[in-house]
Amino acid sequence: MSVVTVQLGQCGNQIGYEVFDTICRDLHNSQGFCCKRENEVYQASCKEHFFNEERSGVPVARALLIDMEPKVISQTLLKAARSGRWKYGQHSHFCQKQGSGNNWAYGYSVHGPKHEESIMNLIQKEVEKYDSLRGFSTIMSMAGGTGSGLGAFLTQNLRDAYPNSFIINQIIWPYGTGEVIVQNYNSILTLSHLYRSSDALLVHENDVVHKICAKLMNIKQISFRDVNQVIAHQLGSVFQPTYSSEGSCQYRRNPLGDLMASLVPHPEFKMLGLRNIPQMSENSLSYTTFAWTGLLKHLRQMLISNAKMEEGIDWQVRPPLLGLPALEKVPHNKESHFNTSIANLVILRGKDVHSADLGGFKDPALYTSWLQPSDAFSEWRTHRAFNKYEKSAALVSNSQFLLKPLDTVIGKAWNMFASKAYVHQYTKFGIEEEDFLDSFTVLEQVVASYCNL
Amino acid sequence: MAQSVVVQVGQCGNQIGRCFWDLALREHAAINKKGIYDDSLKNFFRNVDTRRNGDGVDISKGKIRSLKARAVLIDMEEGVVNEILQGPLKDIFDSKQLITNVSGSGNNWSVGYKVFGSQYRDQIVEKLRQTAEHCDCLQCFFIIHSMGGGTGSGLGTFILNVLEDEFPEVYRFVTSVFPSGEDDVITSPYNSVLAMKELNEHADCVLPIENESLFDIVSRINQMVTSGKPGTTVKPESLITLNEGGIKKKLQEKPFDTMNNIVGNLLLNLTSSARFEGSLNMDLNEITMNLVPFPQLHYLVSSLTPLYTLADVNVPPRRLDQMFSDAFSKDHQLIQADPKHSLYLACALLVRGNVQISDLRRNIERLKSALHFVSWNQEGWKTSLCSVPPVGHSHSLLALANNTCIKPTFIELKKRFTRLYKKKAHLHHYLQVDGMEESCFTEAVSSLSSLIESYNELDVTKGLPIHDPLRLNIVI
Ligand SMILES: Nc1nc2c(ncn2[C@@H]2O[C@H](COP(=O)(O)OP(=O)(O)OP(=O)(O)O)[C@@H](O)[C@H]2O)c(=O)[nH]1
Ligand SMILES: Nc1nc2c(ncn2[C@@H]2O[C@H](COP(=O)(O)OP(=O)(O)OP(=O)(O)O)[C@@H](O)[C@H]2O)c(=O)[nH]1
Ligand SMILES: [Mg+2]
Ligand SMILES: [Mg+2]
């Protein structure tokens, strides 16, 4: 029934907190726009997924907090305790005295092996609390040293220790000009290692979310907290309960497993992107009404034109005409920047949700030829509105969404690697030039695969 | 949280150290209102129950009893250290943390390094060990010294070697005051070049400081105060001249104090994100990781803005973005250098106070087109956000640049060295010291030359078109 959230490093812990806080606020949201009984079922299902019930009545997040320095964890615990709505478990954190210093090698080769036992024990104890375990969801940045290096190490360990559980890694993609200079090295090392052991990588790009804060949420001075709240909203919009099937009033038992089953048909393709609509400030929300047709028309165009948000969508992009020989199809694709999909999942929440028509997403022209369109597209729905939006839609897509960001990161890392700059910092902790080359090879392969869809 | 130990060597080192400890205490007093010994205090201070047996026992939690600086004070004269022990900071040091002599090193690097080095090695190791044993996770040594004299320069760099041998895992950050053009120590070029070789080989990172720059910054602060409105131009002669006289007079009263406060602030701001919480922390181990692309290129040019945060003055705050612009300007650097017109290998912005990620991003976007970055690190920015501002102010910025603008300082140093060395001036004072040979000089100067050469090689790439290297080719 349950998924353990593992919050790693500063970024993972700060975002993890916002996720649970958002979910908890949604839980108590009176404007669910649905009937009372339905709301109660929804709440029960949500609690079952994300919280342990404690005698005190305060829900306890099914999460573990892990960082190698103490400040972030103590801040995070404090914030949760102060919220009064929910809290973290008393013994559900692990920290040390100093972080990995943005050094992937330090997180992976030093902190990892050194604390493997303690951390795996902590996870084991948490898992024992549940009657059944569905999987793990880690939240981590790939630019630092702890979330990325230790995160990659732990993911491997989880894979070995829990071979039948799903592992999804929530990856925070660094800003282009970043907070960390060696971010591209850390990123390629993280991605290549996760590609071996994770089931899916759900990517959140800081630049994109930042832009959403500026353009859609209308925030003037944007803090990490603002960014994290948007990410939390996006995650909640996927993982909050939905009906298990059309017309059913039962909530989905295993959303993580269902998500993998629908979106990751082949281990070479596990980079998932996320798009949401609508996203706006509470102010604008109060005098805006939405129709499903409009929302879904936008969302579909965001998908095929690879728009990162509702604003600035290129309406010229159209799916290629089917039946044309492949040779002609390719240049046409390039020209119009059509985004080819492997599989898509659309999640709809709110009023009149059953009237929403998702036909536009089932067009075979949107997908590669090797999956049946019926297998390539899935939909989840619920009447219960999410997070103040009367109607909202989320799209999780296994498509060429991340091709360009990935190609850019590899390119930058490769440029730096060609000069050997900073490499000595990694070899000091056992990550050799060979290891870099292996990572480059793995990821160039991924790029090539997505390119050739 | 990890701890740091300050090793202050020689007159300059100890005078700067005194200012640093004074500021550190003040900062913690302002932030820690409850008088509880917490992790951030623990970084630089022990909490000791002095009523118990002699040395006192460390108390790890609870109320602040008696704070002791995690420091070792070393000078081969006793004047400055004695002054510290009689002054207002006397309670945070005790005799177990000191090593003094009465003779001084006579502005002679080899006396400091060779004579006192071998004479005091065991004592130094013992005191360092004692200090280290009080830490549960010692992360970094901060050495403060000058390059121009004998003790700080010679014994200071000797200690750098000792630290590397005895504590190889602990970072070594060195704050070095470089001699200025009109330095009063004639042999300062020798001392500095000999010390440079040690810094090249044994430091993890060096923060060079020049007194001329500190002096200019102090003048500018005073000017700001007396002109009333910052940013408005002051009428020629009247105020500025009066003002400069004022500083000179002040300097005579308490030589160097205002200037040393700037260096103290540098160390506080450098460590603030490691000590206090924030939405984007920067631990000390991140500094070298991000700013040192090749082991030898570990010299970081620093600037602190806004200037008024460096002195106890109240000036109406200016636009936030001004703080970022100023950090790149020539007259805010702590050495005489112009990073804007040289080549960046890497750049860090450490921000304190009410500043958010969007402010950082906006300013990086705004400023980066005017800056030159090396081809393989076009986006070489490291940033941090610490939510605790400096005492009495709303925000501040420390910029650290790994930039070829440091090269002229080294070239000038080499020139002055060569001028003396050609005439063999004062050489005999050095060569009569046991273990000193001419080869020490030639090796030192060639170490400096090769450092300069490394910067040259980078500089010639500036402005060249950038060709991306061919990527790996995947055949599918
Ligand atoms: N969206 C978001 N990104 C963050 C946050 N905090 C840090 N980041 C990003 O995460 C990266 C830095 O990694 P951190 O998570 O701070 O590093 P860490 O995992 O703690 O590892 P070390 O500190 O190196 O031990 C940068 O790309 C930041 O932009 C946050 O709260 N939200
Ligand atoms: N900024 C600053 N520079 C100082 C201070 N004291 C000395 N200096 C500079 O340091 C250099 C002289 O070195 P000192 O530190 O006095 O010498 P020492 O290390 O005590 O060595 P000996 O006196 O030779 O034993 C000169 O360049 C001075 O300008 C100070 O308090 N602040
Ligand atoms: Mg961290
Ligand atoms: Mg002296």
Side-chain angles (χ1 to χ4, degrees), chain B residues 29-196:
Chain B
I31 291 158
N32 188 326
K33 294 266 177 3
K34 289 189 186 140
I36 301 291
Y37 181 66
D38 58 12
D39 262 358
S40 53
L41 254 175
K42 190 172 171 183
N43 200 299
F44 278 120
F45 295 95
R46 297 165 57 204
N47 187 25
V48 175
D49 190 347
T50 40
R51 292 166 309 181
R52 291 206 247 157
N53 50 353
D55 182 25
V57 193
D58 272 45
I59 314 164
S60 60
K61 281 209 163 68
K63 277 209 147 326
I64 295 172
R65 286 286 173 67
S66 170
L67 292 178
K68 295 285 173 200
R70 298 190 194 275
V72 180
L73 286 61
I74 300 171
D75 198 356
M76 294 296 105
E77 279 165 300
E78 47 180 9
V80 178
V81 172
N82 282 344
E83 224 177 89
I84 295 177
L85 291 184
Q86 282 147 25
L89 290 175
K90 61 175 186 289
D91 291 334
I92 66 164
F93 302 107
D94 60 49
S95 57
K96 296 223 163 123
Q97 292 167 272
L98 320 172
I99 298 176
T100 53
N101 191 309
V102 287
S103 59
S105 304
N107 294 324
N108 185 333
W109 181 88
S110 44
V111 173
Y113 191 99
K114 304 276 178 183
V115 179
F116 289 128
S118 41
Q119 186 181 337
Y120 281 96
R121 189 181 200 281
D122 294 344
Q123 247 196 75
I124 291 169
V125 171
E126 199 198 313
K127 309 248 158 173
L128 289 169
R129 283 208 171 288
Q130 281 169 4
T131 320
E133 274 160 19
H134 290 301
C135 304
D136 55 28
C137 176
L138 175 55
Q139 186 176 35
C140 187
F141 285 107
F142 285 98
I143 299 178
I144 313 174
H145 74 149
S146 62
M147 300 289 278
T151 302
S153 170
L155 190 56
T157 52
F158 178 82
I159 292 169
L160 192 58
N161 279 272
V162 171
L163 290 175
E164 188 178 28
D165 289 346
E166 303 287 326
F167 306 91
E169 311 279 290
V170 183
Y171 284 96
R172 297 173 298 279
F173 283 24
V174 189
T175 306
S176 303
V177 175
F178 278 64
S180 49
E182 314 107 54
D183 201 76
D184 43 356
V185 179
I186 301 163
T187 51
S188 72
Y190 283 160
N191 299 332
S192 307
V193 171
L194 289 160
M196 271 296 290

Side-chain angles (χ1 to χ4, degrees), chain A residues 8-15 67-69 72 98-103 111 140-148 172-175 178-180 183 186 204 206 209 224-225 227-228 231, chain B residues 279-281 283 285-286 357 361 382:
Chain A
L8 286 152
Q10 174 145 33
C11 180
N13 279 291
Q14 287 176 170
I15 292 178
D67 198 359
M68 293 297 110
E69 58 126 347
V72 178
Q98 54 175 329
S100 310
N102 295 163
N103 191 337
H111 279 317
M140 60 210 249
S141 65
M142 58 178 194
T146 299
S148 70
I172 312 309
W173 203 277
Y175 286 99
E179 280 59 63
V180 176
Q183 63 182 25
N186 293 338
H204 309 270
N206 267 347
V209 182
F224 268 123
R225 176 133 206 226
V227 172
N228 296 348
I231 295 176
Chain B
S279 60
L280 190 62
N281 293 339
D283 208 352
N285 50 12
E286 292 171 40
I357 185 73
R361 307 227 60 81
K382 167 71 189 167

Side-chain angles (χ1 to χ4, degrees), chain B residues 233-440:
Chain B
T233 40
V234 186
K235 278 192 191 119
E237 282 136 25
S238 58
L239 279 171
I240 293 179
T241 37
L242 193 152
N243 199 0
E244 293 216 314
I247 292 170
K248 286 224 174 80
K249 205 166 136 243
K250 216 173 158 195
L251 280 181
Q252 276 153 18
E253 283 167 9
K254 246 228 153 153
F256 290 130
D257 259 11
T258 1
M259 285 158 63
N260 292 346
N261 273 334
I262 297 174
V263 187
N265 274 305
L266 167 66
L267 292 177
L268 280 186
N269 289 337
L270 187 71
T271 55
S272 61
S273 185
R275 289 179 292 137
F276 304 113
E277 78 275 356
S279 60
L280 190 62
N281 293 339
M282 179 156 171
D283 208 352
L284 295 174
N285 50 12
E286 292 171 40
I287 294 174
T288 46
M289 182 67 194
N290 285 281
L291 293 174
V292 182
F294 298 101
Q296 285 229 339
L297 301 177
H298 55 229
Y299 295 85
L300 306 180
V301 176
S302 44
S303 68
L304 293 156
T305 53
L307 287 183
Y308 55 78
T309 58
L310 300 173
D312 262 327
V313 295
N314 269 324
V315 173
R318 306 176 61 180
R319 273 181 41 241
L320 181 65
D321 289 8
Q322 190 65 42
M323 167 174 96
F324 288 93
S325 305
D326 287 347
F328 294 88
S329 94
K330 199 162 171 269
D331 18 272
H332 288 71
Q333 311 302 318
L334 300 195
I335 68 162
Q336 307 282 50
D338 187 5
K340 223 183 195 161
H341 296 103
S342 308
L343 186 70
Y344 274 93
L345 310 188
C347 181
L349 302 177
L350 291 80
V351 184
R352 301 182 66 170
N354 178 24
V355 180
Q356 299 300 345
I357 185 73
S358 58
D359 302 316
L360 267 175
R361 307 227 60 81
R362 180 182 65 250
N363 281 289
I364 289 176
E365 281 306 314
R366 185 171 66 85
L367 293 161
K368 75 176 183 195
S369 59
L371 308 171
H372 312 277
F373 275 81
V374 68
S375 65
W376 39 263
N377 208 10
Q378 286 288 301
E379 278 144 7
W381 297 91
K382 167 71 189 167
T383 54
S384 74
L385 295 167
C386 169
S387 55
V388 177
V391 180
H393 300 280
S394 61
H395 52 256
S396 72
L397 168 66
L398 162 61
L400 298 172
N402 192 339
N403 188 298
T404 58
C405 68
I406 184 85
K407 193 177 72 178
T409 304
F410 295 153
I411 292 176
E412 179 60 25
L413 194 59
K414 186 179 164 189
K415 232 193 262 161
R416 281 171 25 224
F417 172 93
T418 312
R419 216 177 289 143
L420 282 183
Y421 192 66
K422 261 202 323 234
K423 294 183 285 182
K424 309 267 181 224
H426 307 286
L427 210 54
H428 60 285
H429 294 300
Y430 290 77
L431 295 179
Q432 73 195 15
V433 170
D434 247 7
M436 269 312 272
E437 280 159 31
E438 282 217 31
S439 62
C440 299

Side-chain angles (χ1 to χ4, degrees), chain A residues 15 36 97 117 125 156 306:
Chain A
I15 292 178
K36 186 157 170 268
K97 303 221 181 284
E117 214 187 306
K125 283 219 186 83
Q156 264 167 2
N306 192 1

